[in-house]
Amino acid sequence: MSSDVYFTTVDCKKHKSPLLKIKKILNRCAPEQFFKKSEIVAVKTHFGEFGNTAFTRPIFLRPVLEKLNNLGVKPFLTDTNTLYVGMRTNSVDHLHNATLNGFNYSTLQVPVIIADGLRGDNSVDMDIDGELLKTVHIAADIASADGMMVVSHFKGHEVTGFGGAIKNISMGCSCRKGKLDMHSDSCPSVVPDLCTSCGRCLGFCASNAIEMTPKAFITDRCTGCAMCISVCPESAIHINWNASSASTQKKMAEYAAGVFKALDNKLVFLSIITSVSPACDCYGGNDRPVVADIGFAASTDPVALDKACHDLVIKANGGTDPFSAIYPKVDSSIQLSHAEKLGIGTTDYRLIEVD
Ligand code: SF4
Ligand code: SF4
């Protein structure tokens, strides 16, 4: 059976606001069937790394929040801390960055909560029956929400070809350990030349896996929680970004399945297909978009939605995939086929244009 994807272009005849068009496609997804009065609903987006300008514009969240408020639910805006060291590594820096990027109470009248805790280690384990993973680690405040509205910026991605709804509910909804699970097949390691032997990382390692030799050294007791990466003041602990694209994409799909399970399938998705940058919004810059702005799409099926967004980008690029031209070794369809196999959606979609 196919899934419906509601699409509206950025074209605005008679000066009709794009916000009204977003409202229309959201209404077609019937969010009232998923979210009930007084429920606490996460609105998951990506707050953008400091310096990036391609991430979802906060104003696009207005019709989403308006819809949720009209339903009588209690929405909160959320994102999770990053694996890499930057402006979103812990909740203090992350909230500061979110405020600077326009995601704050004064612009959107909604609380902002970083879902995986102060240092990215507050998570809930979900058992799944994946090909690569049997347990996934979901950010605690997302797992305990009553449902989730997922607002994703559709763009290119250096590891997965493109990043959309599936990426937002997998990498974007996991704690730091989960992100390491997806990005790496091994534990982090210390770069001896950068380590000052300050010993700070030892105090944060719950597995007692770090020894001073005299520089810090990560032993095989490491469980890959990734906590030490974020606390080292010298950025001396490095992630081995060694997972293959195929493995990362499959694990993403498995994490996405875990999020569906945690939220009892109560998810609605909106994707923003503007400022389609070649790479992830985690970079401090975004480069020229690969195609002109396209529009907005919504669905209750993240697989159908990502497939439709990708096809719209290909069409806007004259029939060729701009992401495979940039990342020729990446087969971005793996995230879709694996998610389909796990039963969280279908690549068979019906695009319904709404004006
Ligand atoms: S926190 Fe960083 S600099 Fe300090 S001992 Fe650990 S690895 Fe070395
Ligand atoms: S990743 Fe976690 S378990 Fe491994 S050394 Fe770092 S803090 Fe310890």
Side-chain angles (χ1 to χ4, degrees):
M1 203 176 94
S2 66
S3 288
D4 291 343
V5 176
Y6 303 99
F7 168 65
T8 189
T9 70
V10 284
D11 303 332
C12 287
K13 293 184 196 108
K14 297 184 184 162
H15 308 296
K16 188 190 277 178
S17 168
L19 304 184
L20 283 175
K21 300 183 90 182
I22 292 174
K23 192 175 169 185
K24 278 190 176 181
I25 57 171
L26 275 181
N27 283 340
R28 296 292 294 271
C29 293
E32 63 277 7
Q33 289 182 10
F34 296 84
F35 314 130
K36 303 295 178 205
K37 193 175 173 198
S38 298
E39 287 186 341
I40 298 178
V41 174
V43 178
K44 171 67 180 74
T45 192
H46 185 309
F47 296 153
E49 187 56 57
F50 185 70
N52 190 291
T53 59
F55 57 87
T56 296
R57 291 176 60 193
I59 200 166
F60 292 146
L61 294 168
R62 285 253 178 90
V64 175
L65 297 168
E66 198 178 293
K67 181 70 195 173
L68 293 174
N69 284 329
N70 288 343
L71 292 177
V73 307
K74 302 175 199 290
F76 69 96
L77 260 188
T78 195
D79 197 357
T80 58
N81 290 312
T82 57
L83 179 56
Y84 65 86
V85 177
M87 272 292 277
R88 299 185 304 130
T89 309
N90 59 68
S91 296
V92 175
D93 292 338
H94 202 158
L95 282 171
H96 184 57
N97 183 67
T99 302
L100 294 176
N101 281 352
F103 300 95
N104 55 67
Y105 198 89
S106 59
T107 55
L108 294 165
Q109 288 85 53
V110 66
V112 182
I113 296 171
I114 305 300
D116 56 345
L118 188 65
R119 297 188 188 276
D121 60 344
N122 189 13
S123 63
V124 169
D125 290 352
M126 293 298 303
D127 292 337
I128 56 156
D129 189 19
E131 177 188 319
L132 302 178
L133 302 169
K134 298 298 173 199
T135 305
V136 294
H137 315 288
I138 310 296
D141 288 340
I142 286 174
S144 65
D146 291 309
M148 184 159 67
M149 183 74 90
V150 183
V151 183
S152 312
H153 173 222
F154 193 83
K155 72 271 171 191
H157 194 280
E158 57 284 4
V159 177
T160 59
F162 66 76
I166 292 172
K167 187 143 195 311
N168 201 2
I169 59 165
S170 52
M171 206 66 83
C173 287
S174 64
C175 65
R176 183 174 285 111
K177 179 178 171 60
K179 292 179 176 87
L180 188 63
D181 263 359
M182 286 178 263
H183 271 305
S184 179
D185 292 330
S186 56
C187 287
S189 54
V190 177
V191 179
D193 286 351
L194 296 178
C195 175
T196 58
S197 305
C198 72
R200 181 170 160 80
C201 53
L202 272 70
F204 283 88
C205 180
S207 305
N208 202 18
I210 306 176
E211 291 176 359
M212 301 304 286
T213 63
K215 304 280 182 160
F217 176 76
I218 296 178
T219 67
D220 59 9
R221 290 191 295 279
C222 174
T223 55
C225 74
M227 179 59 85
C228 54
I229 298 164
S230 67
V231 298
C232 172
E234 308 299 332
S235 299
I237 304 181
H238 282 200
I239 303 146
N240 300 312
W241 303 95
N242 60 355
S244 67
S245 172
S247 154
T248 298
Q249 290 187 60
K250 283 186 175 183
K251 287 177 180 174
M252 273 169 37
E254 295 181 8
Y255 263 80
V259 167
F260 263 85
K261 185 178 174 188
L263 293 173
D264 206 13
N265 301 329
K266 291 168 68 176
L267 295 102
V268 177
F269 299 86
L270 168 70
S271 286
I272 312 295
I273 328 165
T274 65
S275 302
V276 183
S277 45
C280 182
D281 296 339
C282 289
Y283 285 108
N286 40 278
D287 212 343
R288 182 189 292 266
V290 297
V291 288
D293 287 353
I294 294 171
F296 313 94
S299 183
T300 55
D301 177 338
V303 183
L305 182 60
D306 277 354
K307 174 82 171 107
C309 290
H310 193 202
D311 288 347
L312 286 162
V313 168
I314 292 170
K315 189 177 168 197
N317 195 46
T320 61
D321 183 352
F323 304 135
S324 52
I326 304 168
Y327 311 113
K329 293 185 179 155
V330 176
D331 174 3
S332 60
S333 68
I334 294 169
Q335 56 185 301
L336 300 177
S337 54
H338 201 61
E340 196 167 25
K341 203 165 130 191
L342 291 161
I344 62 168
T346 172
T347 51
D348 181 12
Y349 68 91
R350 193 165 63 115
L351 193 72
I352 300 167
E353 193 155 345
V354 178
D355 189 25

